[in-house]
Amino acid sequence: TPSLLKIKFDSAHWKKSSAPLNLYMMSCYYPVEFNTSATDNPSGVHGDIGVSMGGAPPPNTLPRTTTGGLSMPTMDASRPDGFPDPRPNVSLSEVSKHWVRMEKVETLASPDGGLQMSSNDRTIKLDRNTIYLLKTPPPVAPKP
């Protein structure tokens, strides 16, 4: 049998107010996009450990010892910083303006007129840090 999940929002509450809703969670979400440009990071160095990812080598590459390890300078807080931080500027992330569908999950009409998510291939799991798409159910056709 398919995996089914139906989440309905019937109200929203604020400090001194509330509003009725009729929204259902759909099998769509807004992905997070990470924005960093080449001008922010001309060295090609990414992350806290300074791994080179295809750009020019970092300007302060440390010399190797004869044993293959890195020759690390002694850290002294009283001297000027001769080794600037090689990490790139902080990448900005923002929620995409366009939603995408969950892989192998569909949104279907449920028997009670609402919407539900369905998957024949997997258990439907939600991430608490993801922004999901909500939708009102389609109008119910009058019975003849």
Side-chain angles (χ1 to χ4, degrees):
T1 62
S3 174
L4 298 173
L5 178 64
K6 178 177 166 183
I7 299 177
K8 180 183 180 188
F9 295 84
D10 58 12
S11 64
H13 298 270
W14 297 271
K15 261 186 179 177
K16 298 181 180 184
S17 179
S18 66
L21 299 172
N22 189 25
L23 298 172
Y24 291 86
M25 186 178 291
M26 294 189 55
S27 58
C28 304
Y29 65 97
Y30 290 88
V32 173
E33 296 177 344
F34 295 95
N35 301 318
T36 182
S37 68
T39 57
D40 292 340
N41 183 20
S43 70
V45 176
H46 301 275
D48 289 334
I49 59 171
V51 176
S52 181
M53 299 295 284
N60 61 349
T61 303
L62 298 172
R64 300 239 175 227
T65 64
T66 54
T67 59
L70 292 177
S71 174
M72 298 298 289
T74 305
M75 298 308 257
D76 180 0
S78 65
R79 69 179 173 86
D81 186 7
F83 294 95
D85 190 350
R87 292 178 292 180
N89 291 337
V90 176
S91 295
L92 301 175
S93 65
E94 59 184 43
V95 177
S96 172
K97 293 174 178 54
H98 306 284
W99 53 266
V100 296
R101 296 186 188 280
M102 290 182 199
E103 188 176 318
K104 298 182 180 182
V105 180
E106 296 178 273
T107 301
L108 306 170
S110 62
D112 65 357
L115 299 172
Q116 65 187 12
M117 291 181 271
S118 173
S119 177
N120 288 322
D121 294 341
R122 60 180 59 185
T123 300
I124 300 171
K125 296 181 181 180
L126 303 177
D127 178 55
R128 70 182 214 171
N129 296 319
T130 300
I131 298 174
Y132 294 95
L133 183 66
L134 303 176
K135 185 175 186 325
T136 58
V140 178
K143 294 182 180 182

